[in-house]
Amino acid sequence: QVQLVESGGGLVQAGGSLRLSCAGSGLAFSSYAMGWFRQEPGKEREFVAGIWGRGGRTTIADYADSVKGRFTASRDNAKNTVYLQMNSLKPEDTAVYYCAARFGISSYDYTDWAYWGQGTQVTVSS
């Protein structure tokens, strides 16, 4: 049974930083793309970042335009964990953040992702 467990959300002031973590179990972690999505009430889940392997130790990360230069995704396959470092946070980053996994490479479409965590709330105050 695949499980993804996020942690690290919370309340932060605008301009601050948070680091989210997502620990996976029950899957061949290194073979899966790991993604971060976020969702505000009444809105569709949106892509934030994706990170996947390209053979050996090479990884590729992709980001939504709204977070490029501020957020950084990374992964530690030995720990089955993916991270999202969020810097220069803005009030519009406020959402529930979800970790997701899919075999192979990343996708912008949330319906392409097979496994999901329970979500963690990130609130950025102005």
Side-chain angles (χ1 to χ4, degrees):
Q1 181 180 0
V2 175
Q3 283 193 315
L4 301 176
V5 180
E6 302 103 332
S7 60
L11 173 64
V12 64
Q13 288 189 328
S17 298
L18 282 174
R19 189 174 85 150
L20 305 182
S21 300
C22 172
S25 61
L27 73 169
F29 190 82
S30 62
S31 297
Y32 279 71
M34 300 302 296
W36 290 98
F37 288 75
R38 64 188 182 187
Q39 189 169 22
E40 298 174 68
K43 294 188 177 181
E44 195 165 88
R45 196 164 295 190
E46 67 169 352
F47 174 83
V48 175
I51 183 167
W52 65 100
R54 198 181 172 183
R57 298 183 179 180
T58 302
T59 59
I60 299 172
D62 191 17
Y63 301 92
D65 287 343
S66 58
V67 306
K68 277 181 183 175
R70 299 188 298 122
F71 290 12
T72 303
S74 61
R75 62 190 295 160
D76 185 339
N77 289 338
K79 295 182 178 179
N80 284 10
T81 301
V82 62
Y83 305 96
L84 185 67
Q85 178 66 43
M86 306 186 293
N87 298 331
S88 302
L89 282 160
K90 305 175 182 179
E92 50 263 45
D93 294 318
T94 296
V96 176
Y97 283 70
Y98 295 91
C99 171
R102 71 184 301 263
F103 187 79
I105 63 174
S106 182
S107 169
Y108 298 124
D109 187 345
Y110 73 91
T111 64
D112 288 338
W113 295 75
Y115 304 107
W116 293 88
Q118 81 286 355
T120 185
Q121 177 70 46
V122 171
T123 303
V124 185
S125 63
S126 57

